[in-house]
Amino acid sequence: MAIADDRSNWLLAGWLAVHRWPLTMRFQTRRTLALVLLCLFLFGALIYKINNSPLVNQNGILREYLVESQVSVGTRPGTRTILLWSSFFGNRRWSLPSDTLGPQQFRDDLNCPVYQCELSNRHDFLPSLELYDAIVYHVAQPFPLLLPLPTRRSPHQAYVFALMEPPGETKHQLNDEQHFYNLTMTYRLDSDIVWPYAHVVDNLTGARVAPSRFPYWREPPALGSWNDSTVARLWHTKTKMAAWFVSHCKTLSEREKLAAALQQHIQVDIYGQCGPLNCARDDPHCNEMLDTDYLFYLAFENSLCTDYVTEKLYDALQRHIVPVVFGGANYSRFLPPHSYIDANRFDSIEQLAQHLRFVAADQQEYISYFWWRQHYRLETSSPFCELCARLHQSSWTHKTQSYNNIESWWYNGCRLTSHIRF
Ligand SMILES: *[C@@H]1O[C@H](CO)[C@@H](O)[C@H](O)[C@H]1NC(C)=O
Ligand SMILES: *[C@@H]1O[C@H](CO)[C@@H](O)[C@H](O)[C@H]1NC(C)=O
Ligand SMILES: *[C@@H]1O[C@H](CO)[C@@H](O)[C@H](O)[C@H]1NC(C)=O
Ligand SMILES: *[C@@H]1O[C@H](CO)[C@@H](O)[C@H](O)[C@H]1NC(C)=O
């Protein structure tokens, strides 16, 4: 038995001896293979790391970023639909060319860069109110009486707080409207969609310069280094000081008192409801008179509210007359320097009147207020272009939001006192 055992042991040892080498060999091959794979992996990782290092491949990184951002930050595919809930002071189209606008009109009529939108004032344009991407409410008018507000809203749709009037003209109980609006669309520069009466555009580059919180303006040229023959000629025929066209006589800003105080020092002709003179708005002679007869145009706002600058000012800028402004805006965010005279830069009416007399008497000085016209032009645009673009942003580039206390945001922009005393 012992011998047999020895034999089998020997046989086993022999078998093992014969087979050991290939076994170790197989084991070693696997180890080598694993090592090679590990090295390859590490090498690959190293190459990847080097390739993605800004030191080596900044262009590649930039390209990848741009391709990705085009896909996701750019426009979401599909058309966005906007419903105009109420009319705009009786104008159901909000001055748009038709009741319903498609992408083609957004592109061709409104000149929108992002135009994949539809807009309608017909509430049955889509089968359910929850399907609209945005519903626009005109806050300078009450909610339409016979039109109950939507009972359900989709978490993705935006309710838009839209108006062009100052807070004093808001016709809503805003403290009842907490967490109702998602987007603001007003003249305020801190609105989600800024809706100014006009833009100042650089004529050379076509870029919109203002309104902007930090506009970059060209420097006005040195006095006398530049001339405008039309204004030079008109200066001789302008024999009257200031014209004021006004229809609301008692205002929050008390501009009527400012005008009356100014009248004590210089000639101020008041046209319309609040003064002795009349000139029909549609009479072209009224506008010509601003070119030929008057040196200054009073553009006094009815309330002193942040960024509140109305179309009267822009109308005056289109003519050969220097506007005298009074309002709550920081005008340097709206108009080129030395294109207007801001009453709030003066401490008293006497100083303002003195400055106006000085500018009126000096032809070169007067002409210097028109320098900006060689470089800038005024342009209007539709706020619905910006709303359309906003609705196309991917959800992760703009946060879901609603205004908790829209009343305090909206009312905080106004004040009752001005710098100039009168
Ligand atoms: C008006 O706006 C300009 C441009 O943003 C700024 O530099 C200036 O300080 C502002 N003035 C006042 C009085 O806030
Ligand atoms: C500007 O031009 C007008 C005529 O076109 C001329 O009467 C006036 O003297 C000129 N002013 C200056 C400063 O060159
Ligand atoms: C501004 O540009 C338009 C064309 O874009 C041109 O017709 C106009 O004359 C230019 N205005 C000035 C003052 O250069
Ligand atoms: C709009 O506000 C409502 C109410 O706060 C909210 O449920 C919804 O998600 C908001 N939508 C967007 C798109 O911000």
Side-chain angles (χ1 to χ4, degrees):
M1 262 322 267
I3 292 173
D5 273 358
D6 276 357
R7 211 145 108 260
S8 59
N9 273 349
W10 181 85
L11 274 174
L12 185 66
W15 186 87
L16 278 176
V18 172
H19 288 85
R20 173 168 290 162
W21 186 75
L23 243 187
T24 29
M25 176 59 189
R26 249 180 265 156
F27 180 64
Q28 269 180 358
T29 317
R30 271 194 223 148
R31 221 169 58 175
T32 319
L33 204 66
L35 265 172
V36 167
L37 281 177
L38 184 69
C39 283
L40 272 175
F41 173 76
L42 287 176
F43 185 68
L46 187 71
I47 294 287
Y48 178 82
K49 182 109 180 85
I50 290 175
N51 201 34
N52 280 281
S53 152
L55 293 175
V56 177
N57 189 12
Q58 183 57 29
N59 281 355
I61 293 172
L62 178 61
R63 185 178 307 112
E64 207 167 288
Y65 175 85
L66 291 178
V67 167
E68 250 172 47
S69 63
Q70 249 174 15
V71 172
S72 44
V73 182
T75 57
R76 285 191 289 156
T79 303
R80 300 281 165 273
T81 312
I82 302 165
L83 173 66
L84 300 177
W85 185 259
S86 35
S87 66
F88 189 82
F89 293 125
N91 184 332
R92 297 208 50 215
R93 291 182 179 174
W94 293 51
S95 305
L96 292 166
S98 52
D99 286 335
T100 298
L101 268 64
Q104 203 177 336
Q105 279 128 321
F106 268 85
R107 189 188 59 202
D108 300 341
D109 299 347
L110 307 185
N111 289 317
C112 300
V114 177
Y115 54 80
Q116 294 83 350
C117 281
E118 291 172 314
L119 175 150
S120 184
N121 57 19
R122 290 181 17 224
H123 287 226
D124 59 355
F125 181 69
L126 292 182
S128 153
L129 290 176
E130 284 161 275
L131 296 175
Y132 294 100
D133 295 286
I135 300 185
V136 180
Y137 298 93
H138 185 215
V139 188
Q141 286 177 288
F143 286 125
L145 206 60
L146 300 174
L147 199 61
L149 285 174
T151 45
R152 288 190 301 165
R153 64 196 282 183
S154 129
H156 307 295
Q157 79 186 151
Y159 283 9
V160 184
F161 176 93
L163 84 170
M164 284 291 256
E165 308 308 308
E169 302 294 321
T170 311
K171 296 292 191 303
H172 278 221
Q173 197 69 46
L174 290 181
N175 50 17
D176 290 348
E177 291 168 21
Q178 289 164 2
H179 284 300
F180 185 74
Y181 302 104
N182 301 105
L183 297 175
T184 54
M185 186 165 105
T186 81
Y187 58 80
R188 282 256 302 257
L189 298 185
D190 58 353
S191 302
D192 297 300
I193 289 119
V194 180
W195 184 6
Y197 281 94
H199 294 276
V200 181
V201 173
D202 192 302
N203 215 35
L204 188 65
T205 62
R208 279 184 190 166
V209 181
S212 154
R213 268 192 261 192
F214 298 101
Y216 176 75
W217 297 113
R218 295 162 186 269
E219 281 281 318
L223 189 67
S225 68
W226 170 83
N227 202 353
D228 180 320
S229 56
T230 310
V231 180
R233 179 172 51 77
L234 287 170
W235 180 78
H236 289 286
T237 66
K238 287 173 179 282
T239 53
K240 301 173 180 171
M241 279 297 268
W244 191 29
F245 290 80
V246 59
S247 51
H248 291 103
C249 309
K250 206 168 153 26
T251 59
L252 265 178
S253 69
E254 303 200 307
R255 62 183 180 190
E256 56 281 359
K257 290 189 182 161
L258 173 63
L262 198 55
Q263 261 180 333
Q264 305 295 310
H265 300 274
I266 61 165
Q267 176 192 5
V268 176
D269 288 352
I270 303 179
Y271 290 87
Q273 309 273 302
C274 322
L277 300 168
N278 269 310
C279 206
R281 208 169 261 228
D282 47 5
D283 182 354
H285 171 70
C286 289
N287 285 327
E288 276 163 33
M289 201 169 66
L290 298 179
D291 291 334
T292 55
D293 293 12
Y294 287 99
L295 288 153
F296 302 105
Y297 179 91
L298 305 188
F300 292 177
E301 304 299 349
N302 61 18
S303 27
L304 304 174
C305 298
T306 305
D307 303 329
Y308 185 54
V309 169
T310 52
E311 78 272 26
K312 275 189 176 180
L313 173 57
Y314 292 106
D315 291 347
L317 284 163
Q318 308 272 24
R319 311 214 66 92
H320 301 288
I321 191 161
V322 175
V324 180
V325 302
F326 176 65
N330 177 342
Y331 284 88
S332 64
R333 296 174 174 177
F334 290 81
L335 301 179
H338 209 72
S339 62
Y340 59 92
I341 294 170
D342 185 352
N344 259 326
R345 293 281 177 86
F346 299 87
D347 296 331
S348 67
I349 295 287
E350 290 78 14
Q351 286 173 20
L352 172 61
Q354 195 182 357
H355 184 70
L356 295 180
R357 275 197 299 263
F358 159 69
V359 173
D362 186 327
Q363 191 193 32
Q364 254 183 43
E365 188 68 39
Y366 188 79
I367 292 171
S368 71
Y369 279 88
F370 297 85
W371 74 277
W372 63 276
R373 293 189 188 193
Q374 323 162 75
H375 305 291
Y376 300 106
R377 62 172 190 264
L378 299 176
E379 223 174 65
T380 54
S381 71
S382 171
F384 294 108
C385 287
E386 252 197 83
L387 179 58
C388 179
R390 175 66 184 234
L391 295 176
H392 274 281
Q393 285 174 6
S394 313
S395 51
W396 56 268
T397 59
H398 73 88
K399 55 185 188 306
T400 300
Q401 61 170 25
S402 64
Y403 284 84
N404 168 27
N405 193 348
I406 200 150
E407 185 180 55
S408 80
W409 172 74
W410 186 232
Y411 288 179
N412 269 341
C414 297
R415 55 200 160 80
L416 291 171
T417 54
S418 54
H419 176 78
I420 187 168
R421 304 201 174 281
F422 55 88

